[in-house]
Amino acid sequence: MSLLSITLLTPLLGALILALVRGLSRAGWFNLIFCAVTLGSAIWLAWTVANHGIVSTQLLGIAFRVDAFNVYLVVLTALVSLTTAIFSRPYMRYVRQTGRTDRRGLRIYHSMYQAFIFSMLLALTTDNLGVLWVAMEGATLATVLLVSLYRTPEAVEAAWKYFILCGVGIALALFGTVLTYFAAQQVIADPNAGLTWSVLYANAAALDPTVMRIAFVFLLVGYGTKVGLVPLHQWLPDAHSEGPTPMSAVLSGLLLNVALYAVVRLKMLVDGALLNTSSPHLAGYLLMGFGLLSFTVAGLFLHRQRDIKRMFSYSSIEHMGLMTFAFGLGGSLATFGALLHMLVHSLTKSAIFVTVGHAAHIAGSQSIDRIRGLIRTQPSVGWSLLIGVAAIAGFPPFGIFMSEFLLLTATMQTYPWLAIPLILGLVIACAGLFRHLHPMVYGHAPEGQQPVAANLFPVGVHLALVLWLGLMIPAFLAEWLQQVSALITGVQ
Amino acid sequence: MSPTALPLLQQWVVVLAALLLFLSFVILAQTRLISAIHAFAWQGALIAGVTAVVAAAAHSPHLYFSAVLTLGLKALLIPWMLHRLTRRLELENQAETLRYPALVGMAAVALIIFSYWLVLPIVQAELNFTRNIVAISLAVVLIGLLMMVVRHQAVAQVLGFMSMENGLFLAAVSATAGMPLVVELGVAFDVLVAMILFGVFFFQIRASIDSLDVDQLNRLTEMTDASDGAEGEVG
């Protein structure tokens, strides 16, 4: 068995086995073990790719291709899902004790957690645009029942919205995929290779630019819905805030990345096809427009939130907007910054959601108004939240400062005027976060607020990594990201 | 180019696609759920027909298989599931009136014109036939989308969603002679799982708001004054 198949089959097997495991504590441990095995083989896979170059194979007639770009996201996905699984084990026990879900619900939870990881890894590693679509839709299907896990009217509403909006979005992406296949058929003789990304990329210049242009609009709207780009973001704050907290961590930290990955891969194709037309940067401009809009709107909406998880969901939209903008900007510096930002945002955001889970547990509420005085009640949770928010808001010395600094520099080099809304947006978002954060961590603790058993190991690991990436980017990672940005921009 | 200049089999495809678009209007305007589900089943059958015709034209055994798959999934299994759910939810006799039927009809027509306009740039002469089909399938997709917007009833919204998928199947089979088999199977699997989950959700929605009118799902908004304890629960 190849490494790739181990990486993919472990979570698939996990999904099947965990559907049968009854005991909650056993299911939690199994979940953790499956994630650990996935991470192990993902790291090994990355090592193979680093030493021997691109891995491409066929499994069950599906082409897979692991290159520098997707392998780093594979490792990131496996890492965050492992640390979230570590958090989820005691957390779901607490959820069970509060009686918000039953045994059956927890079985679905664990099984779908693995199925979700499987579909993300499938989307990342496949070389076939059709399979990419199937996996993206599969990720929605795996998580939609988890969003409604608590069966409150709010949760059911959030899940329905998520299902319908993402379903529609992804249907439009399928139309774009069909159009791409249609364009490919005029160029590529073998009908089975017509959706293979690497073959399409090699022949990108020959693809019909008019068809590809229309196709990209559909693909961007479709996958953009999953990235959470404004105005297609309506489902995101609901889905990320109503589901169980471990789910929020992986949805915000990972799924958005995978959707953005799909958009970037498709942009590479369209850029190739439009190279010799009058508008070679069309895809880039679209990404910049959508990105900047999402970035600004989400920053403003941050101020109006009353629910802590909703607030951080808007922060996710804001950061995804920034990354989309940077990928649209193109150029090796902006792309490098965006890749680094993907990494540090995932780590920080999932750490924040884990902390928020504990904070909500302490206060017995998700409402920002009722979470008060965390540092007094439980310093570890309070400080974690404070540090996490400082990191996500882009303060030095954390990694997000580094990536945002790189993005700003790249913007100033190409479109100096756009640096103004960018800086303004960062300041607005930072103000929005700290405005709500201050009373939550300082403030007076309500009478009788008790510390809870908190598992802050994942938070510590993530924040330490983000800090490390802010102080010094290790040489191998810098080289790696450089290689990826050369791959994406096509410039050596 | 006049339709009679096309090969016979392509003429068949065009006729079937036109009928499919017509059925989209029927589903859009039909107020009784059961009748709309029947129209949807016929739409599925027509797509299976288109697939079979294309298979005959291209002599491709894989397309015959996907015709059978489409017939089983879109014309039989999913309509049957919807039918059963409608009966279990006791919605057979419920009729939902559209608020502005004429306006909705006009909007659907506008969407067809828009679809033709959008695919206009694909003008190479030999692709004329394809352009027709791509435009029709895009129109079916967009009318499904319109249906999801104007209907407030969960089952009707799902019908709109499924008819969007029908438009996608039509595009895939007639413009590109079918996607690779793996992709087709994957898409069919996703649609089936989505249908099962929709069924689960109908019951969850009814349990939570006592009706299937999704307009009543309106607790999550951006309104800042909505703090009536609704957000008080821990997640």
Side-chain angles (χ1 to χ4, degrees):
Chain A
M1 272 216 313
S2 70
L3 265 174
L4 180 65
S5 55
I6 297 175
T7 317
L8 282 173
L9 290 180
T10 310
L12 184 61
L13 195 69
L16 297 176
I17 290 179
L18 283 166
L20 304 172
V21 173
R22 279 167 191 279
L24 171 56
S25 100
R26 217 180 321 155
W29 280 113
F30 269 127
N31 194 22
L32 213 158
I33 291 166
F34 281 117
C35 285
V37 174
T38 311
L39 177 63
S41 62
I43 290 174
W44 198 355
L45 186 67
W47 191 80
T48 319
V49 172
N51 286 311
H52 305 291
I54 296 166
V55 175
S56 59
T57 46
Q58 292 256 346
L59 290 174
L60 302 169
I62 306 170
F64 287 91
R65 183 171 186 274
V66 186
D67 58 17
F69 184 16
N70 51 17
V71 83
Y72 107 95
L73 289 170
V74 167
V75 174
L76 180 67
T77 303
L79 173 72
V80 174
S81 44
L82 172 65
T83 47
T84 311
I86 294 174
F87 161 68
S88 134
R89 203 181 52 80
Y91 188 82
M92 292 320 279
R93 207 163 49 210
Y94 150 68
V95 168
R96 178 77 184 90
Q97 279 159 7
T98 57
R100 269 175 296 154
T101 183
D102 52 7
R103 265 168 190 286
R104 204 170 134 262
L106 285 170
R107 227 156 79 189
I108 292 176
Y109 168 83
H110 284 114
S111 170
M112 286 300 132
Y113 189 89
Q114 292 290 331
F116 175 54
I117 296 168
F118 166 71
S119 47
M120 279 193 298
L121 292 176
L122 180 64
L124 286 172
T125 52
T126 183
D127 195 18
N128 185 316
L129 294 180
V131 176
L132 170 71
W133 184 89
V134 172
M136 289 299 293
E137 172 79 353
T140 312
L141 297 175
T143 44
V144 72
L145 275 184
L146 299 183
V147 172
S148 75
L149 190 69
Y150 296 157
R151 300 286 174 83
T152 57
E154 290 85 7
V156 172
E157 177 186 345
W160 180 257
K161 233 181 192 176
Y162 175 41
F163 202 175
I164 289 290
L165 281 174
C166 281
V168 168
I170 208 93
L172 294 178
L174 184 57
F175 193 76
T177 310
V178 170
L179 282 180
T180 310
Y181 188 48
F182 170 64
Q185 279 190 333
Q186 326 295 326
V187 181
I188 297 158
D190 178 13
N192 282 320
L195 277 173
T196 307
W197 182 86
S198 48
V199 176
L200 284 170
Y201 187 58
N203 295 298
L207 295 175
D208 186 327
T210 42
V211 179
M212 286 309 288
R213 203 178 294 152
I214 300 173
F216 184 70
V217 173
F218 279 98
L219 289 164
L220 178 64
V221 170
Y223 290 126
T225 310
K226 299 220 71 171
V227 181
L229 296 179
V230 175
L232 311 159
H233 68 289
Q234 303 291 344
W235 61 274
L236 192 146
D238 298 340
H240 288 205
S241 62
E242 293 303 326
T245 302
M247 232 40 236
S248 317
V250 282
L251 280 174
S252 258
L254 301 177
L255 183 58
L256 303 181
N257 272 355
V258 179
L260 186 60
Y261 161 83
V263 172
V264 174
R265 282 273 186 205
L266 293 160
K267 175 181 180 277
M268 290 165 74
L269 279 187
V270 179
D271 277 348
L274 297 184
L275 197 60
N276 298 317
T277 61
S278 54
S279 55
H281 299 299
L282 178 81
Y285 289 144
L286 280 173
L287 288 189
M288 279 167 69
F290 271 113
L292 203 59
L293 182 69
S294 316
F295 175 71
T296 325
V297 171
L300 290 170
F301 267 104
L302 266 177
H303 285 261
R304 301 185 51 188
Q305 299 312 311
R306 305 179 69 90
D307 180 298
I308 184 167
K309 278 162 88 180
R310 276 184 89 85
M311 180 174 83
F312 287 115
S313 314
Y314 272 102
S315 155
S316 293
I317 299 178
E318 183 218 339
H319 285 278
M320 292 322 283
L322 188 61
M323 286 176 232
T324 310
F325 172 80
F327 279 122
L329 206 58
S332 43
L333 186 62
T335 310
F336 183 94
L339 292 168
L340 182 63
H341 200 84
M342 258 175 150
L343 188 66
V344 285
H345 172 256
S346 287
L347 291 171
T348 318
K349 193 46 69 62
S350 42
I352 285 181
F353 270 110
V354 168
T355 322
V356 162
H358 290 309
H361 184 184
I362 292 172
S365 167
Q366 251 173 252
S367 161
I368 290 174
D369 293 338
R370 293 200 210 159
I371 302 175
R372 285 291 177 267
L374 287 176
I375 284 187
R376 285 210 189 156
T377 313
Q378 193 163 10
S380 58
V381 173
W383 280 107
S384 301
L385 191 61
L386 188 63
I387 296 171
V389 173
I392 205 84
F395 278 93
F398 293 101
I400 291 190
F401 171 75
M402 278 297 292
S403 56
E404 284 180 349
F405 185 75
L406 286 175
L407 294 182
L408 272 175
T409 317
T411 313
M412 281 188 210
Q413 278 176 3
T414 33
Y415 301 95
W417 285 103
L418 286 179
I420 297 170
L422 227 48
I423 292 176
L424 215 63
L426 288 173
V427 172
I428 291 173
C430 175
L433 284 170
F434 275 90
R435 172 181 163 184
H436 294 304
L437 178 77
H438 190 264
M440 284 196 287
V441 290
Y442 298 110
H444 284 287
E447 299 261 331
Q449 188 163 285
Q450 294 295 326
V452 296
N455 178 3
L456 291 169
F457 169 72
V459 181
V461 171
H462 285 195
L463 291 180
L465 279 173
V466 173
L467 182 65
W468 183 36
L469 289 173
L471 294 173
M472 52 154 287
I473 299 176
F476 78 91
L477 187 69
E479 205 177 302
W480 190 289
L481 292 180
Q482 221 140 32
Q483 212 181 326
V484 180
S485 71
L487 189 81
I488 294 174
T489 53
V491 185
Q492 289 304 316
Chain B
M1 180 162 82
S2 76
T4 44
L6 286 169
L8 192 61
L9 287 172
Q10 292 195 355
Q11 290 187 34
W12 265 107
V13 173
V14 174
V15 170
L16 291 175
L19 281 173
L20 231 144
L21 185 60
F22 171 68
L23 280 176
S24 260
F25 275 88
V26 174
I27 300 173
L28 180 69
Q30 184 56 256
T31 52
R32 278 171 44 91
L33 269 178
I34 293 289
S35 317
I37 293 171
H38 289 164
F40 169 77
W42 278 110
Q43 218 180 25
L46 282 178
I47 291 182
V50 172
T51 316
V53 170
V54 174
H59 305 290
S60 130
H62 133 231
L63 275 178
Y64 282 115
F65 171 75
S66 79
V68 175
L69 182 76
T70 313
L71 188 71
L73 186 73
K74 294 256 165 188
L76 301 172
L77 187 58
I78 289 181
W80 175 76
M81 286 166 82
L82 279 167
H83 215 283
R84 212 172 68 117
L85 283 166
T86 317
R87 264 182 289 132
R88 279 180 60 193
L89 292 161
E90 291 160 5
L91 294 171
E92 299 107 312
N93 299 318
Q94 202 196 36
E96 183 196 13
T97 42
L98 282 173
R99 204 168 296 161
Y100 305 108
L103 208 61
V104 170
M106 297 291 276
V109 172
L111 286 177
I112 297 177
I113 296 170
F114 171 75
S115 309
Y116 269 91
W117 173 79
L118 195 70
V119 298
L120 208 58
I122 313 173
V123 280
Q124 291 130 300
E126 72 274 20
L127 299 180
N128 224 331
F129 156 73
T130 318
R131 195 181 83 193
N132 251 319
I133 300 294
V134 172
I136 290 179
S137 43
L138 181 58
V140 172
V141 170
L142 292 178
I143 291 174
L145 187 64
L146 177 70
M147 175 157 172
M148 296 179 75
V149 175
V150 296
R151 289 298 187 88
H152 304 299
Q153 213 263 356
V155 183
Q157 286 196 341
V158 170
L159 263 179
F161 180 82
M162 289 294 163
S163 109
M164 271 179 90
E165 296 280 341
N166 275 349
L168 295 169
F169 271 60
L170 176 66
V173 74
S174 51
T176 67
M179 309 269 260
L181 191 61
V182 195
V183 179
E184 219 158 83
L185 285 175
V187 173
F189 174 76
D190 273 355
V191 170
L192 186 61
V193 174
M195 190 55 238
I196 293 168
L197 291 181
F198 277 129
V200 173
F201 268 99
F202 292 153
F203 289 98
Q204 287 192 3
I205 291 176
R206 201 175 58 164
S208 88
I209 59 170
D210 238 5
S211 118
L212 276 172
D213 184 353
V214 288
D215 251 20
Q216 292 176 23
L217 286 174
N218 52 8
R219 281 170 169 250
L220 299 168
T221 53
E222 294 305 336
M223 296 302 288
T224 40
D225 54 344
S227 74
D228 48 1
E231 299 164 67
E233 276 168 280
V234 203

